[in-house]
Amino acid sequence: MGLVKVVGQDGGMATWFRTYDEDEDLWLYFEADDEGWAARQVEVREKDSQPVTAASLAEVLHLRDSADLTAMGRYERQYGVLAEGPMDGWQDQPQAAEISAEEFERLWVEARRTLDVSG
């Protein structure tokens, strides 16, 4: 099955996929941009299905360019830390699979709602 590329949130081509981090017991969901970098990331604990990360590259770049380290720290405590670097090789990770844009968006909205309340 070929990798599906669709227009993402930033207007560029995007792919959506998931992997599983066995060490941390986390499902990792990514929206990757046309260069393979994480544009948005959601992490959900396997044991209780609770989201622990819902970070956005656009938000991180905005904070980096217009805020201070305190604001960035608050963001990371509330929404987690976005993966850095290209997502090359994700297909070789445990339980890796492509997901639909709709599935990612549903997870994103749910994670943000949860982390907004807890943050």
Side-chain angles (χ1 to χ4, degrees):
M1 176 178 195
L3 192 62
V4 177
K5 289 197 171 253
V6 182
V7 176
Q9 181 185 32
D10 66 355
M13 299 305 284
T15 55
W16 294 268
F17 60 91
R18 67 147 203 243
T19 63
Y20 181 67
D21 182 333
E22 295 170 341
D23 294 335
E24 298 293 325
D25 195 30
L26 292 173
W27 283 100
L28 311 174
Y29 299 89
F30 294 97
E31 176 183 74
D33 66 17
D34 53 1
E35 295 179 5
W37 288 64
R40 293 188 292 168
Q41 176 178 346
V42 174
E43 296 178 359
V44 179
R45 280 193 308 251
E46 169 69 17
K47 69 178 178 181
D48 60 7
S49 298
Q50 285 298 303
V52 295
T53 298
S56 160
L57 180 60
E59 293 170 350
V60 169
L61 293 176
H62 174 76
L63 286 170
R64 180 197 71 189
D65 295 342
S66 63
D68 57 27
L69 290 177
T70 302
M72 181 65 82
R74 278 193 308 270
Y75 180 89
E76 290 179 348
R77 281 189 301 283
Q78 184 166 2
Y79 297 115
V81 177
L82 186 69
E84 292 185 24
M87 302 282 103
D88 299 338
W90 67 265
Q91 299 91 333
D92 302 325
Q93 298 301 311
Q95 303 185 50
E98 295 176 42
I99 62 172
S100 69
E102 294 79 14
E103 181 179 358
F104 182 89
E105 198 61 36
R106 180 186 59 75
L107 289 161
W108 175 261
V109 168
E110 184 179 311
R112 274 302 179 101
R113 186 176 303 128
T114 299
L115 296 174
D116 283 344
V117 169
S118 65

